[in-house]
Amino acid sequence: MESTGQNPPQRNHTTLVEFLFLGFSDIPNIQEFLFWLFLIIYIIILMGNSLIIIITHVEPSLHNPMYFFLGNFSFLEICYVSVTVPRLLTDLCRQTRNISFVACATQMYFFLVFGATECFILTAMAYDRYVAICSPLLYSIIMNHRLCIQLATGCWVSGIPVHMGFTYLIFSLPFCGPNQLNHFFCDIPPVLTLACGDTLVIEMLIYVIALLVVTIPFILILQWTYNI
């Protein structure tokens, strides 16, 4: 007897190897203006934060915890904007705005890590001011050099393993459809919209990480500010 069953048709998928930024492509007439605008802003950020770092390093009277964290924050701001702005400036100057799969994952990873570090450093700066105001006599004992180094190190490294795993999960999803990112850098929402697989777990993790990285530091800063 001859079988009449038929196998379901196989759907051909092409795994993406690169993404294409849409960015400001819908407003081509002002891209030159945007290039110079973002370039000037970027230069101002680099110069301003570099000046803060240099002054806090060479001026002995500024060698205290407050300016130590301020120097860290300024260096972080340079790193943070350098993840996205140079790429944006390059894309505004050329016709093709493609980015490889690996480069997109790398950009997202550093963007998330530096964003988490910013939240942690702001929390450390708030704690420093809380101790300085509420316990001025014990300030130099509590906020000693060793604690400052530990806090700064913790701020810089805490987000690394979390966002390394998170970025890996995002880019482990299958990407088999359109490759056009409706953004000018690899942010989470536009990348997830291109994923073919189930993104529910990733979306739940976004809320969990936001709670740990943003909400808890925000609550701590509010509490210390209220106690002052």
Side-chain angles (χ1 to χ4, degrees), residues 86-135:
R87 174 77 200 201
L88 172 60
L89 295 174
T90 303
D91 289 340
L92 287 172
C93 293
R94 61 181 184 173
Q95 297 297 324
T96 57
R97 298 179 175 88
N98 56 307
I99 183 172
S100 69
F101 197 78
V102 174
C104 186
T106 303
Q107 185 184 55
M108 179 185 291
Y109 167 72
F110 282 106
F111 180 79
L112 294 175
V113 168
F114 291 143
T117 304
E118 183 172 17
C119 294
F120 297 149
I121 288 184
L122 287 173
T123 307
M125 294 173 72
Y127 177 70
D128 171 68
R129 292 299 87 200
Y130 168 75
V131 175
I133 295 173
C134 295
S135 302

Side-chain angles (χ1 to χ4, degrees), residues 4-221:
T4 59
Q6 294 182 354
N7 292 328
Q10 296 295 322
R11 186 178 177 183
N12 293 326
H13 289 307
T14 302
T15 303
L16 297 183
V17 295
E18 66 178 14
F19 296 104
L20 180 66
F21 290 127
L22 295 181
F24 301 99
S25 58
D26 56 335
I27 46 175
N29 295 332
I30 64 169
Q31 290 198 24
E32 183 177 354
F33 167 76
L34 291 175
F35 171 82
W36 290 108
L37 176 63
F38 288 126
L39 178 61
I40 292 172
I41 294 174
Y42 184 54
I43 292 174
I44 292 174
I45 291 174
L46 292 181
M47 292 179 61
N49 286 286
S50 298
L51 186 61
I52 292 174
I53 295 172
I54 293 172
I55 292 176
T56 56
H57 181 72
V58 301
E59 177 56 46
S61 63
L62 301 181
H63 292 175
N64 57 59
M66 182 177 71
Y67 292 103
F68 170 77
F69 289 117
L70 182 61
N72 274 265
F73 188 78
S74 296
F75 179 70
L76 171 65
E77 286 300 298
I78 294 175
C79 297
Y80 200 20
V81 298
S82 296
V83 172
T84 56
V85 177
R87 174 77 200 201
L88 172 60
L89 295 174
T90 303
D91 289 340
L92 287 172
C93 293
R94 61 181 184 173
Q95 297 297 324
T96 57
R97 298 179 175 88
N98 56 307
I99 183 172
S100 69
F101 197 78
V102 174
C104 186
T106 303
Q107 185 184 55
M108 179 185 291
Y109 167 72
F110 282 106
F111 180 79
L112 294 175
V113 168
F114 291 143
T117 304
E118 183 172 17
C119 294
F120 297 149
I121 288 184
L122 287 173
T123 307
M125 294 173 72
Y127 177 70
D128 171 68
R129 292 299 87 200
Y130 168 75
V131 175
I133 295 173
C134 295
S135 302
L137 299 179
L138 300 176
Y139 175 71
S140 59
I141 299 176
I142 298 175
M143 297 301 298
N144 55 67
H145 181 70
R146 180 180 179 183
L147 179 62
C148 291
I149 294 296
Q150 290 174 343
L151 288 175
T153 303
C155 292
W156 281 98
V157 305
S158 295
I160 292 177
V162 174
H163 289 104
M164 184 178 294
F166 184 61
T167 306
Y168 174 79
L169 287 177
I170 292 177
F171 285 88
S172 295
L173 294 170
F175 292 90
C176 48
N179 70 334
Q180 295 182 334
L181 280 174
N182 190 20
H183 213 328
F184 59 88
F185 73 97
C186 291
D187 200 5
I188 297 174
V191 170
L192 285 182
T193 58
L194 302 181
C196 301
D198 185 13
T199 61
L200 179 61
V201 175
I202 302 295
E203 292 171 0
M204 295 299 295
L205 280 175
I206 292 174
Y207 291 105
V208 173
I209 293 176
L211 177 66
L212 296 175
V213 173
V214 180
T215 308
I216 292 179
F218 178 70
I219 292 174
L220 290 174
I221 292 172

